[in-house]
Amino acid sequence: MDHRYNRHNRRKYSLKVHIVLVTKYRKQLLKGSIADDVKQKILDIANTRGYEIIAMETDKDHIHFLLSYDATDRVCDIVKIVKQETTYCLW
């Protein structure tokens, strides 16, 4: 059996997206514990929503991650949720 594809109700899919989130004005805010907090919050969002984080890395002014998601979700909604919840958590 091929585990690279997800199956659900006559659908067979393997959707992955590479998302890059940049801080406002490219300020170098993602240092030390803040970067760890953002990573943990994104992992929590992924676990509650049923996404799978394949890879995630941060730099001083951006974070990027490879995400596997369901065919019923939209990428714009995923980005919106991640940005809203991480910003709220950091403030």
Side-chain angles (χ1 to χ4, degrees), residues 9-46:
N9 283 350
R10 299 181 191 157
R11 293 180 292 179
K12 184 177 179 182
Y13 56 90
S14 176
L15 299 172
K16 294 174 181 56
V17 63
H18 181 230
I19 298 174
V20 179
L21 302 175
V22 180
T23 59
K24 192 171 185 177
Y25 306 120
R26 298 288 271 200
K27 288 186 180 178
Q28 297 184 357
L29 300 174
L30 299 174
K31 298 177 185 174
S33 67
I34 294 175
D36 295 334
D37 292 342
V38 171
K39 281 183 179 181
Q40 186 59 46
K41 184 62 179 175
I42 291 173
L43 288 172
D44 293 341
I45 293 168

Side-chain angles (χ1 to χ4, degrees), residues 57-88:
E57 289 296 325
T58 60
D59 200 7
K60 296 173 186 167
D61 60 352
H62 69 276
I63 184 167
H64 57 98
F65 51 96
L66 184 62
L67 180 99
S68 176
Y69 63 100
D70 190 49
T72 58
D73 297 324
R74 298 185 312 176
V75 176
C76 62
D77 292 336
I78 295 170
V79 171
K80 178 181 163 186
I81 290 166
V82 170
K83 287 178 78 173
Q84 282 178 345
E85 293 188 17
T86 55
T87 301
Y88 182 76

